[in-house]
Amino acid sequence: MNDSASTALGYHRATSYQRYQISPHALDWANQPSLVKNYPGLPRVPLPRDLDLPRIDYFTRACRPGSESHTSDVAPDLKQIAAALQLSHGVTARAVHSGQPFYYRSVASAGALYPFELYLTAHGIDGLDAGLYYYDPLAFSLTVLRRQPLPAIPRVDRAVAATFYVTGIFFRSAWKYRGRAYRYVVLDAGHLLENLRLALGALNQRFSIHLDFDDEQTANLLGLDSELEVCLACIHLHIDTDKGTDTANSIELEPLSADIRQASQVSGREVAYPEILNIHRAGSGSGGGGSAEASSLMVATHGNPLARIDLDSSTLPIAADYTQVLGRRRSRRNFIPASVSRENFMTFVETMAQSMGSRSGMPAACRSALTAGILAGENMPLPPGFYLLDPEKRQLEQRIAGSLIEAMAAACLDQMWLKHAGLHLLFLTDLTYLDEIWGARGYRYAMIEAGSLGQQAYLAATALGWGACGIGAIYDREAADLLGLTESGALVYLVGLGPVKTSAGKTR
């Protein structure tokens, strides 16, 4: 692997799909990765199940400002932590597929491989000792990894009651997607991060999101084998300073045992793909994530806008219970060519715009690293074409006229069911820009932001009664050329959306 694959541009090109040039790959079912980590012999803390989940409107929650607007004078207790975990990464249904149990979850994942994990450090939680815990969503319990006062990583100037850490396990996705899997691991971390952000806001917790931290220090804290599993995001829960506990980084941390680190291995036979390790290690230094603010439409396309359409300023008309939306979220692809009302279309676009740019609760680097676009099909309440979404001006800029839906379905590895979707939500970046501003860590910012917004799209679609299905399998350059992107422009993620056929034969 040459050094060029240690950049965002180099890795993305090295793992790009090209038509007629994808090498065959059979799944090794005998070594399918486990869906949860195993820590034999370590004590567990069962989480309470009699939870008071918030009864709020999804669109009201989704369109509230970012994390800093939430205030809480009281440290969270164990029931609030359990509610946050259930909402962000809970089991919503169980089924049996091919004789094996399958667990539907509140969070989307490429290929239902769930490469992410959640850990919790407790500094001041009523009902939970100070320490480090691993969250098992299937058993709905916390495994005790450390029982001691711990530092808050990354260090902040405000009191921290607890920290959630989102990690990614490479082989869970690489088992299917090989060297391309880093894309999906980081995208899926963004899915989980968005669910957690929404959950903490719904529970009126004050929090801050961090993507820049010392990777080695964080791996040591969590007991990870950093060749196999890495930390990708942290969320601190804050309380008033005079109610906080000492979380200074001066606390010395002993490495956890080899048995604990070995839990990062989730299959009896794993393959290490150098492309994945290369790009992650190259981005291990902090990218200085808050320093650059790019234009919200930083992805260069050829030509000028053909037209501009203002988003409707009317209040959101749909009512949908937030917890029920999470429980109903699924990946659905049985799209049908049915018309969509202007009201529903604008509700969806407005919800996405409220999650982007200056209104976003994500770190500034994420907001600067990505641009969202829309391919509108024939049944949308605006002319078919390719549009960029400008969240600051609250406008859609038409860049290409005419429906590209079927051509994009072909560019998505000929998954032609996508041509029936009413619209395609596109997440675009400029890979050279990422490298120039943040180095290789910029790839994380762009992909985490794409996953975060993708999760929001899943939930908004569910609330509207639509189907949604995320796509990362793309003939990369073919899709970029279709959209008229420059040489370093890339489509990194696509979500197909629109009316679907229900089991009763009705449309939604």
Side-chain angles (χ1 to χ4, degrees):
M1 184 60 53
N2 59 44
D3 290 341
S4 67
S6 297
T7 64
L9 181 64
Y11 171 76
H12 203 82
R13 285 183 173 172
T15 58
S16 287
Y17 286 153
Q18 299 180 58
R19 190 175 290 274
Y20 312 122
Q21 296 183 36
I22 300 177
S23 58
H25 174 57
L27 295 179
D28 182 6
W29 290 103
N31 288 285
Q32 184 177 7
S34 63
L35 291 176
V36 294
K37 294 181 70 176
N38 184 29
Y39 295 99
L42 293 185
R44 289 178 176 243
V45 177
L47 288 167
R49 295 181 181 270
D50 55 333
L51 302 175
D52 297 321
L53 298 179
R55 310 297 296 183
I56 61 174
D57 177 57
Y58 160 73
F59 288 108
T60 301
R61 168 80 284 277
C63 293
R64 282 170 65 178
S67 59
E68 293 304 318
S69 67
H70 305 296
T71 59
S72 177
D73 294 329
V74 180
D77 59 20
L78 183 57
K79 290 189 76 170
Q80 289 173 305
I81 294 295
L85 292 169
Q86 174 63 28
L87 292 167
S88 58
H89 188 192
V91 172
T92 58
R94 294 170 174 82
V96 176
H97 292 165
S98 302
Q100 298 296 319
F102 182 84
Y103 300 91
Y104 294 95
R105 309 193 196 187
S106 60
V107 58
S109 171
L113 297 173
Y114 303 107
F116 38 64
E117 296 287 0
L118 258 180
Y119 299 79
L120 172 75
T121 54
H123 307 295
I125 299 175
D126 186 19
L128 190 64
D129 292 340
L132 168 67
Y133 301 85
Y134 163 75
Y135 170 57
D136 182 339
L138 303 189
F140 201 55
S141 67
L142 298 172
T143 300
V144 182
L145 302 181
R146 298 182 187 267
R147 206 186 289 273
Q148 66 178 98
L150 296 170
I153 300 175
R155 188 170 185 173
V156 292
D157 295 332
R158 290 170 290 174
V160 177
T163 304
F164 294 94
Y165 294 92
V166 177
T167 71
I169 296 180
F170 296 143
F171 189 67
R172 283 225 187 104
S173 286
W175 173 72
K176 181 175 183 179
Y177 299 116
R178 297 177 286 181
R180 193 178 169 98
Y182 190 69
R183 303 182 184 208
Y184 306 112
V185 171
V186 186
L187 273 172
D188 277 357
H191 287 147
L192 179 54
L193 183 60
E194 178 65 13
N195 251 17
L196 188 54
R197 186 183 75 84
L198 288 171
L200 294 175
L203 294 165
N204 293 314
Q205 294 298 316
R206 183 167 50 192
F207 60 94
S208 59
I209 299 172
H210 304 270
L211 305 182
D212 289 297
F213 40 82
D214 185 310
D215 285 11
E216 184 176 346
Q217 185 185 38
T218 308
N220 182 53
L221 167 69
L222 302 178
L224 311 180
D225 181 335
S226 56
E227 299 285 300
L228 307 176
E229 181 181 6
V230 295
C231 186
L232 294 168
C234 313
I235 295 188
H236 288 321
L237 270 63
H238 298 291
I239 51 176
D240 286 352
T241 303
D242 60 353
K243 303 180 190 300
T245 55
D246 181 9
T247 57
N249 277 19
S250 59
I251 298 173
E252 291 294 327
L253 280 178
E254 292 294 325
L256 289 171
S257 70
D259 286 345
I260 289 178
R261 295 196 302 275
Q262 189 177 1
S264 294
Q265 182 175 337
V266 292
S267 171
R269 184 173 64 195
E270 297 192 6
V271 178
Y273 290 90
E275 304 97 317
I276 296 175
L277 293 174
N278 226 29
I279 184 62
H280 188 79
R281 287 171 180 164
S284 290
S286 171
S291 59
E293 283 287 356
S295 162
S296 59
L297 299 181
M298 63 89 182
V299 174
T301 60
H302 299 296
N304 297 315
L306 304 177
R308 291 183 172 88
I309 298 175
D310 293 329
L311 303 187
D312 290 351
S313 58
S314 59
T315 57
L316 298 172
I318 308 297
D321 182 87
Y322 163 62
T323 57
Q324 291 182 14
V325 167
L326 285 171
R328 298 198 313 267
R329 188 217 63 79
R330 298 285 187 274
S331 180
R332 294 185 173 92
R333 58 180 64 181
N334 54 333
F335 298 111
I336 56 173
S339 61
V340 169
S341 70
R342 182 178 180 88
E343 184 179 62
N344 282 2
F345 176 79
M346 285 297 178
T347 294
F348 175 80
V349 178
E350 177 68 15
T351 303
M352 298 308 303
Q354 291 282 1
S355 302
M356 299 167 60
S358 60
R359 299 173 184 84
S360 170
M362 294 291 282
C366 284
R367 305 196 298 265
S368 302
L370 199 75
T371 296
I374 286 174
L375 291 188
E378 300 289 345
N379 294 300
M380 292 293 104
L382 75 172
F386 167 41
Y387 297 81
L388 293 181
L389 174 58
D390 188 330
E392 305 304 332
K393 295 180 180 178
R394 299 185 68 255
Q395 288 182 333
L396 289 169
E397 286 189 0
Q398 187 179 33
R399 292 301 180 116
I400 301 176
S403 180
L404 302 178
I405 292 278
E406 185 168 353
M408 183 58 76
C412 292
L413 272 59
D414 295 310
Q415 298 181 81
M416 299 313 294
W417 51 266
L418 268 172
K419 73 178 183 180
H420 301 300
L423 64 98
H424 295 169
L425 182 62
L426 313 173
F427 299 112
L428 313 163
T429 194
D430 186 308
L431 299 163
T432 295
Y433 178 84
L434 299 182
D435 287 324
E436 290 176 348
I437 301 299
W438 298 292
R441 202 174 185 103
Y443 198 70
R444 298 194 206 179
Y445 302 148
M447 301 303 277
I448 285 175
E449 175 75 347
S452 172
L453 292 170
Q455 178 69 14
Q456 190 73 272
Y458 266 102
L459 298 178
T462 302
L464 289 166
W466 295 354
C469 187
I471 299 295
I474 301 164
Y475 292 127
D476 295 273
R477 193 61 240 171
E478 189 173 313
D481 288 342
L482 178 65
L483 300 173
L485 303 186
T486 58
E487 188 62 26
S488 60
L491 170 63
V492 297
Y493 190 31
L494 179 152
V495 182
L497 300 139
V500 291
K501 189 173 184 178
T502 67
S503 58
K506 299 179 181 179
T507 62
R508 298 184 66 181

